[in-house]
Amino acid sequence: MDVSPDHPRYKSLVIREKMSELSDKGIVARTGLIAHGRGEAFDYLIGEKTTPAAKHAEEAIAAYLLEAQNPVITINGNAAALCAEELLNLASEVGAKVEVNIFHWSSERLEKLVSYLETFGNFEILGRNQNAILENIASDRARCCREGIYSADVVLIPLEDGDRAKALKIVGKTVLAIDLNPLSRTSVESDATAVDEITRAVPNIRQAVKDLKDDQKRRREIISAFDNRSNLNESVNCIKDNLTQQQIF
Ligand code: ATP
């Protein structure tokens, strides 16, 4: 489909086309398209921009990743479709492992996703050899890699659902999320949630990593001062303010 760059929803339409193509190829699950729609709706309410609250959370996420001993970034179909290259670059900048973890599991889909991520360069992608089980989770997402999610201390879970965020918390991991819905269980369960669109959030996190890389004192201050619940309240207030300004009638 040809979309004119002048179209007011150009970016959204291009992304939808890409998601649809990757759904045909089996990388994005069909229900992933619905989850994307929920994200778009929240982005509308947020004003399609990074709010000050999101910027603050993105700084905290960068600080947590840099302070981690064994960080892991998990990638599902939607995160791969929207932001693969940025996530892989973030992982190498913070020394994080990358592991594919999917809700709609099949060995074929897992292989497709790992192979897709491998096309972006010389990155090691975990996921083919799922040799451990994350407890407290009923679905196939419990399958994980012993050298990845299972042994991680800090896990970044972009576009996740609440069950897995909770399961990771129960086993004592620090959980970092990117989720446009400040009310989702993932957002609330996590230690730091960037309520931002993933393609804006990840470049912001990378910038914060550059800024904080040589400043451990500042990183520790950011982490100890960060309160995820109050940050989520700020995001909810941004939505309220945005809606108040947008009064039509
Ligand atoms: P929970 O189980 O945490 O309450 P959920 O059931 O809504 O959440 P999913 O349906 O798996 O979880 O949806 C994934 C989440 O990802 C949604 O909250 C949605 O707002 C968010 N999301 C979708 N697309 C994007 C995007 N491009 N950037 C950031 N967040 C997104």
Side-chain angles (χ1 to χ4, degrees), residues 171-192:
V171 292
K173 306 202 187 287
T174 297
V175 179
L176 312 172
I178 300 169
D179 190 333
L180 277 159
N181 178 2
L183 308 173
S184 75
R185 292 175 306 149
T186 303
S187 291
V188 174
E189 290 287 344
S190 298
D191 295 279

Side-chain angles (χ1 to χ4, degrees), residues 15 19 31-43 76 78-79 82 103 141 157-165 178-189 194-201:
I15 288 175
M19 300 285 283
T31 52
L33 299 175
I34 300 168
H36 181 71
R38 182 171 3 226
E40 280 199 334
F42 273 99
D43 206 19
N76 61 16
N78 281 31
L82 291 165
F103 183 57
R141 278 159 315 155
I157 51 166
L159 320 187
E160 199 43 74
D161 86 12
D163 292 349
R164 207 161 75 94
I178 300 169
D179 190 333
L180 277 159
N181 178 2
L183 308 173
S184 75
R185 292 175 306 149
T186 303
S187 291
V188 174
E189 290 287 344
V195 180
D196 202 359
E197 207 282 322
I198 189 170
T199 64
R200 296 192 301 267

